């Protein structure tokens, strides 16, 4: 059981490490804001997402995700794998 937990933690840490600059910090801020209320958390997430969109790497990533079908039904079903595949290319 401990080895399985270690694997999950290592995998999560590796995924966080390759995120574009500012993405992990924005996620933490949004979650922290949600402790006040869900509405406040969603407003904060929207604000932070808007700020990230002006970053060139985020724009390239977004275009690549759309080109790969992230917005389709199948893309949404496999979004985690799609994002994992693209993340390493845009860091």
């Amino acid at each position: 059981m401990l080895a399985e937990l270690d694997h999950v933690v290592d995998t999560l840490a590796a995924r966080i490490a390759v995120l574009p600059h500012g993405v992990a910090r924005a996620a933490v801020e949004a979650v922290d804001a949600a402790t006040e209320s869900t509405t406040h958390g969603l407003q904060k997430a929207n604000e932070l997402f808007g700020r990230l969109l002006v970053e060139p790497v985020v724009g390239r990533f977004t275009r690549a995700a759309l080109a790969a079908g992230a917005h389709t039904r199948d893309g949404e079903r496999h979004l985690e794998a799609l994002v994992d595949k693209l993340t390493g290319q845009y860091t």
Side-chain angles (χ1 to χ4, degrees):
M1 182 68 131
L2 188 55
E4 186 177 326
L5 180 58
D6 284 343
H7 174 72
V8 169
V9 171
D10 290 344
T11 301
L12 180 59
R15 291 178 72 191
I16 291 170
V18 298
L19 291 172
H21 177 73
V23 171
R25 183 74 226 139
V28 169
E29 286 184 45
V31 170
D32 287 348
T35 61
E36 183 179 316
S37 74
T38 302
T39 299
H40 184 65
L42 291 171
Q43 288 170 336
K44 187 67 172 180
N46 189 47
E47 171 193 329
L48 295 166
F49 180 66
R51 285 189 209 162
L52 287 170
L53 284 178
V54 300
E55 297 293 327
V57 68
V58 176
R60 289 191 302 273
F61 181 84
T62 301
R63 286 188 295 279
L66 291 172
H71 61 295
T72 66
R73 185 176 190 156
D74 189 54
E76 287 182 2
R77 286 183 177 147
H78 302 101
L79 190 58
E80 186 174 0
L82 189 148
V83 168
D84 283 346
K85 180 180 176 183
L86 293 174
T87 299
Q89 299 172 30
Y90 294 91
T91 56

